[in-house]
Amino acid sequence: MKIYRFLTGDDTSAFCHKVTEALSKGWELYGEPSYAYDSANGVMRCGQAVTKEADVAYSADLKLGQL
């Protein structure tokens, strides 16, 4: 089954590390990253979709970050 996650965070090196960690665990980039300005907090926010093939049955209880 193909599983999907959307990683988000402030536009900092911590976000880049979050994406890099996912890639190191076999996740693959899916689509282009997204950016938006959070005017309430005065920061840029990032998002990146990632996918991964996993040999598991779907359940709403899956902890996707642990696969």
Side-chain angles (χ1 to χ4, degrees):
M1 168 178 81
K2 184 173 276 196
I3 52 179
Y4 171 92
R5 292 174 64 197
F6 189 70
L7 306 174
T8 61
D10 291 351
D11 187 12
T12 65
S13 63
F15 176 76
C16 295
H17 284 280
K18 183 188 291 190
V19 174
T20 300
E21 180 183 18
L23 296 173
S24 76
K25 293 180 177 180
W27 292 84
E28 297 180 5
L29 298 177
Y30 182 82
E32 298 294 321
S34 60
Y35 298 92
Y37 183 69
D38 178 350
S39 60
N41 295 301
V43 297
M44 289 296 292
R45 304 259 187 217
C46 303
Q48 175 65 58
V50 292
T51 61
K52 181 179 184 178
E53 287 292 333
D55 191 21
V56 297
Y58 176 74
S59 166
D61 297 328
L62 281 175
K63 302 292 185 211
L64 299 176
Q66 296 176 356
L67 296 177

